[in-house]
Amino acid sequence: MPFVTHLECANCGQEYPAGEVHGLCTACSRPLWVRYDLDLIKREFPKKTLFGRPPTLWRYLELLPVEDPANIISLTETITPILQAKRLGAEFGLESLLIKDESRLPTGSFKARGMAMAVTMANEFGLKRLAAPTAGNAGGALAAYAARAGMEAWVLMPEDTPVINQKECFLHGAKVFAVNGLIDDCGKLVREGMKKIDWFDVSTLKEPYRIEGKKTMGLELAEQFEWELPDWILYPTGGGTGLIGMWKAFGELEELGWMKSGQRPKMVSCQSDGC
Ligand SMILES: [Zn+2]
């Protein structure tokens, strides 16, 4: 964290000190963003420093919120490969269609990025009990990283969540609850439990660090494309943290001068029916 200056509300701009546990903005209940001293990073973290670092998301440590690397909770979040999808691309008449295969991450999805960071920061702050509502693979990621950290994970899922997702959480040692309701009802229970059961809410966009984890997707993409991104990025959106995280990454890389400004890709938010 030597490079973190403060946290800032993405909506109203209210500032908060780093090094303390935060949820949402206390003024307007919107998410907080971690802000960095990018001028200092520019001076002390030249791009060439990346050369030779392990191929995991922690290679961008200077642009991540963790203060003491000893607090990192990791299951080895590897740099995920980019695959040419030639036949699928040809079907759509595209010159080039690439897929970033996030299934290579621990627990099989990009949720690992956010949860690795959220659980790392929870560890840094000495939190011991985490909770989240989920209807899918975020629960598995939370359960796995909490187990890695020796923390309790409480996962609240709508009762129609696929059994495999429920079992994944359970087998990782989480306390799993099937809720007779929708994901919003699970979220409400998690908020209510904050006081009653004293857990920390790591719901999407309810704490500041999952977004910093997802940001590494943008940092990685930029590095993999040698700092010149593709024209379009299509992203399966879910809660939206990944889209916001990538955009934040591109902004920071522009300020560092690692990416040219004015050349950001067009971002397409894709969502499945019924999500
Ligand atoms: Zn605010």
Side-chain angles (χ1 to χ4, degrees), residues 9 11-12 25 27-28:
C9 174
N11 180 50
C12 74
C25 174
C28 75

Side-chain angles (χ1 to χ4, degrees), residues 206-225:
K206 293 285 194 301
E207 58 74 58
Y209 301 112
R210 279 175 71 178
I211 199 168
E212 292 300 298
K214 291 286 184 75
K215 187 178 84 177
T216 61
M217 201 159 33
L219 300 174
E220 236 177 79
L221 270 176
E223 189 182 3
Q224 285 172 306
F225 283 99

